[in-house]
Amino acid sequence: MPLSRIVTLIVGLIVILAMSLWLIDSLSRLYWQLSYSPLLGNLLLLLLVVLIGGLVAAFVYYVLVLQGGEKRSRQGRKRVTPAQIPAAKSDAASSTIQAVRQQVSQIQDEVARQALLSRSREIEVNLARGEIQVVVFGTGSAGKTSLVNAIMGRMVGQVNAPMGTTTAGETYCLRLKGLERKILITDTPGILEAGVAGTEREQLARELATAADLLLFVVDNDLRRSEYEPLRGLAEIGKRSLLILNKTDLYTDENKEVILARLRERVRGFIATNDVVAIAANPQSAQLETGELYEPEPDIVPLLRRMAAVLRAEGEDLVADNILLQSLRLGEEARKLIDAQRRRQADKIVERFQWIGAGVVSVTPLPVVDLLATAAVNAQMVVEIGRVYGCELNMERGRELALSLAKTIASLGIVKGAIQLVSTALQLNVATFVIGRAIQGVTAAYLTRIAGKSFIEYFRHDQDWGDGGMTEVVQRQFQMNRRDEFIKAFIQEAIAKVVKPLQDKIEAVEQDEEVH
């Protein structure tokens, strides 16, 4: 028991005892005066004992029970205060990070793999540390550094400097009363700056903005389209933003209200009206009549109030949502890298089979139907593409898929279209005497390519042809592979791999016949 409570208890009991003695003395006199009635005297004595006992019990109960309970309650409330990220979102972020690491193990590019692993570790650190990241974002010289200076209450960067002064993200720590988490405020390079260096700084600024829990987007006038688009884009990926109209000391009150109204109208739908605030982070000095120079204090109270309200009410969710968002974005980036890696591997398989089929068909001409079945759609090709995407198919299943696609290609008239396309292109590039023998081989390669590309789309989407079915996928691949720039490159490769070997063989046969 604390010493203060023991002292309080002793003093209280002494006071109660003194009062009891006084009360006993007073009532004893009354008791003798009522001695003619023993019953009434005994009742008075019993009442005195009950009264004193109740007073002592009430005092002890108050000191030991009620005050102790209140203190334990306060301590209990204090233990709940430390910030904790909502468990569901924290678990989701952790699960996503683990899934990303499993994906990363499949990436063959060592540089990309290590970069993703490093970023996943950064997200885990942020998840454990739980600081609130506030990023100041906007065009060059809109007053971002001045705003950071004013918020921090001390000079932390250059002000009144030309565009491009802040060349890297500079972060400062801030404590806000009533908020357990530390607030990290990051000043970013300006966007929309000219030159290669300006573009690189803008890229850094966008990366920092994407990682923010809360974004302070600073402008010094009405929004331009070049400012609106990045602000809207950041809102679309889930960034919580405050739009800050700075340098209001340069405007009359009437003009300031007009600009604020325009800003609120332009961002309606993705930034709330009360999240658009006006400030003067670094007001211009003025010379008084006495000749003295007057330096006005920064006027950022509206921003501080709004920022404090947002962070106190939404801080935990902002941190949790941002960590989950970063985890999901990292997972999506890993998925894209793996998809690109698989596509390269699958494209090599398609290219290999298209020229194998072309060589076979050009040497042994086939009817159109056999051409389609044997060259354009190859069961072994289907099996190998499936294996790249983690789908183990047997030859029977590969043959079923191949024949199904063959029927679709035939029903769409793609065989006839391919023959016509290849014939026209070959006539412009190859001597007439060899064209007839080359058309079927090159057409076989072309149809194999369309089939292979269609199967890549099928396996990329977890063995699903999509809403339009196989027909739509095949038609889309045919349209993509009939473009002039592709046909020119394809025919040149076909000439080297199909036509030229065929021409050499024909010439060799003719020479052999002349010898005999």
Side-chain angles (χ1 to χ4, degrees):
M1 182 186 299
L3 180 61
S4 59
R5 199 179 304 169
I6 295 176
V7 172
T8 302
L9 181 61
I10 293 173
V11 172
L13 290 175
I14 291 174
V15 171
I16 291 174
L17 181 59
M19 292 179 61
S20 300
L21 292 174
W22 172 80
L23 185 61
I24 291 172
D25 179 70
S26 299
L27 291 179
S28 62
R29 296 176 183 178
L30 181 60
Y31 177 80
W32 289 112
Q33 291 177 1
L34 296 175
S35 57
Y36 63 91
S37 176
L39 179 61
L40 188 58
N42 289 334
L43 286 175
L44 184 61
L45 183 61
L46 178 62
L47 179 62
L48 175 62
V49 172
V50 170
L51 181 62
I52 294 174
L55 188 60
V56 172
F59 179 77
V60 171
Y61 178 81
Y62 172 77
V63 172
L64 297 182
V65 180
L66 292 184
Q67 284 192 347
E70 288 178 1
K71 185 169 183 179
R72 286 192 297 271
S73 178
R74 287 195 299 270
Q75 290 175 341
R77 288 196 297 271
K78 192 171 182 179
R79 283 194 296 269
V80 176
T81 301
Q84 293 182 352
I85 294 175
K89 295 177 180 179
S90 176
D91 292 344
S94 297
S95 300
T96 304
I97 291 173
Q98 294 304 317
V100 168
R101 286 180 175 163
Q102 292 178 357
Q103 288 180 309
V104 167
S105 64
Q106 304 175 42
I107 297 176
Q108 297 173 350
D109 187 330
E110 180 66 20
V111 175
R113 182 168 66 249
Q114 292 302 325
L116 288 180
L117 286 174
S118 176
R119 287 172 55 190
S120 72
R121 285 191 288 268
E122 288 177 7
I123 292 174
E124 280 191 320
V125 170
N126 291 335
L127 183 63
R129 187 170 53 195
E131 295 164 335
I132 298 179
Q133 305 279 343
V134 178
V135 172
V136 184
F137 187 73
T139 57
S141 295
K144 302 186 303 300
T145 302
S146 297
L147 172 57
V148 174
N149 291 341
I151 291 176
M152 297 301 296
R154 57 186 175 89
M155 296 299 290
V156 294
Q158 284 184 278
V159 294
N160 288 334
M163 292 175 65
T165 295
T166 306
T167 57
E170 299 171 352
T171 301
Y172 311 95
C173 184
L174 179 69
R175 286 285 188 179
L176 182 64
K177 187 177 180 181
L179 196 67
E180 289 292 323
R181 297 186 185 278
K182 287 193 297 184
I183 302 171
L184 301 182
I185 298 183
T186 300
D187 185 14
T188 64
I191 62 174
L192 309 178
E193 297 179 10
V196 176
T199 302
E200 292 175 351
R201 289 195 293 269
E202 177 171 344
Q203 180 62 30
L204 171 62
R206 287 176 181 266
E207 290 174 2
L208 291 168
T210 302
D213 298 317
L214 178 64
L215 191 67
L216 305 184
F217 196 101
V218 185
V219 296
D220 57 6
N221 206 318
D222 193 6
L223 269 177
R224 294 174 287 177
R225 177 172 294 276
S226 55
E227 294 172 311
Y228 174 84
E229 289 176 354
L231 179 59
R232 180 61 185 264
L234 289 164
E236 287 176 350
I237 66 170
K239 290 294 105 178
R240 181 72 163 86
S241 302
L242 302 182
L243 180 56
I244 316 300
L245 173 61
N246 192 17
K247 302 184 181 181
T248 54
D249 55 301
L250 303 180
Y251 302 105
T252 64
D253 290 343
E254 182 180 355
N255 288 339
K256 181 181 74 174
E257 292 303 321
V258 169
I259 296 173
L260 279 174
R262 288 177 182 170
L263 290 173
R264 287 167 177 149
E265 179 62 28
R266 295 190 195 285
V267 299
R268 179 187 297 178
F270 62 94
I271 294 182
T273 299
N274 57 351
D275 285 338
V276 181
V277 296
I279 65 166
N282 186 26
Q284 288 189 333
S285 57
Q287 190 169 15
L288 303 177
E289 294 180 356
T290 60
E292 295 180 1
L293 197 63
Y294 173 64
E295 299 283 352
E297 290 292 323
D299 179 17
I300 61 168
V301 173
L303 170 61
L304 293 178
R305 287 176 177 168
R306 185 56 192 156
M307 190 168 73
V310 169
L311 293 180
R312 285 176 181 141
E314 308 172 33
E316 302 308 309
D317 282 332
L318 289 178
V319 173
D321 289 340
N322 188 40
I323 288 175
L324 182 56
L325 173 64
Q326 297 303 316
S327 303
L328 293 174
R329 285 171 63 86
L330 189 61
E332 178 63 17
E333 188 171 339
R335 189 197 65 77
K336 288 180 179 179
L337 286 172
I338 293 172
D339 183 59
Q341 175 180 294
R342 287 173 170 173
R343 182 182 284 274
R344 288 192 298 270
Q345 294 171 343
D347 284 343
K348 289 180 180 178
I349 293 172
V350 172
E351 185 174 358
R352 174 160 54 88
F353 274 92
Q354 72 185 20
W355 299 125
I356 290 173
V360 172
V361 173
S362 62
V363 173
T364 310
L366 299 168
V368 170
V369 175
D370 290 338
L371 168 71
L372 175 65
T374 60
V377 187
N378 191 296
Q380 182 62 36
M381 180 181 68
V382 176
V383 171
E384 290 191 23
I385 293 174
R387 190 175 297 130
V388 167
Y389 285 91
C391 303
E392 292 294 335
L393 305 177
N394 55 35
M395 284 299 295
E396 183 178 355
R397 176 57 179 161
R399 193 174 295 109
E400 289 177 3
L401 288 170
L403 291 175
S404 177
L405 190 66
K407 293 176 182 178
T408 300
I409 290 177
S411 67
L412 293 173
I414 290 177
V415 176
K416 182 178 178 181
I419 293 175
Q420 183 177 358
L421 194 65
V422 169
S423 301
T424 303
L426 283 175
Q427 286 172 0
L428 300 175
N429 294 274
V430 183
T432 305
F433 79 94
V434 80
I435 288 180
R437 297 284 299 274
I439 287 176
Q440 280 201 343
V442 178
T443 302
Y446 183 79
L447 292 174
T448 301
R449 180 181 181 84
I450 292 175
K453 292 288 188 178
S454 298
F455 277 118
I456 289 175
E457 291 302 306
Y458 172 70
F459 287 112
R460 280 187 67 225
H461 295 93
D462 298 324
Q463 302 182 66
D464 185 0
W465 290 109
D467 295 338
M470 183 186 294
T471 299
E472 183 177 312
V473 173
V474 172
Q475 285 179 325
R476 184 167 61 248
Q477 290 301 323
F478 179 57
Q479 294 302 323
M480 290 173 61
N481 286 276
R482 66 182 300 175
R483 296 171 181 168
D484 291 342
E485 60 272 16
F486 167 75
I487 291 296
K488 290 178 182 177
F490 180 78
I491 290 300
Q492 291 302 316
E493 191 172 3
I495 290 172
K497 294 188 175 183
V498 179
V499 178
K500 189 66 168 60
L502 180 61
Q503 185 176 3
D504 293 341
K505 183 175 182 179
I506 292 173
E507 290 175 351
V509 171
E510 290 176 347
Q511 289 175 1
D512 186 60
E513 290 177 350
E514 289 177 0
V515 171
H516 291 83

